[in-house]
Amino acid sequence: MPGVAGNCWSIAEAVGLDRPYRLHHLLERAHWEEDTARDVVRAFLTGTSAPTAGS
């Protein structure tokens, strides 16, 4: 997002949120399965369905 400072308040406002709390939780506190998140994002960007667990 060009022109948006890299903090949760600015990013939240840029995507239309009133407050940054949900975004802050997502970026700072949420537990991520890194490999699964990578696969889901890759599948989204390439237009294919994400692989299921165990495949």
Side-chain angles (χ1 to χ4, degrees):
M1 284 181 258
V4 176
N7 62 54
C8 285
W9 276 104
S10 299
I11 296 169
E13 288 176 350
V15 298
L17 299 174
D18 304 3
R19 298 179 177 116
Y21 305 118
R22 292 185 335 195
L23 185 61
H24 186 262
H25 172 77
L26 177 67
L27 297 175
E28 296 292 328
R29 298 186 196 125
H31 173 74
W32 290 80
E33 292 287 338
E34 295 172 5
D35 293 335
T36 302
R38 180 204 58 228
D39 294 344
V40 169
V41 170
R42 181 179 290 153
F44 174 78
L45 294 174
T46 61
T48 61
S49 61
T52 58
S55 58

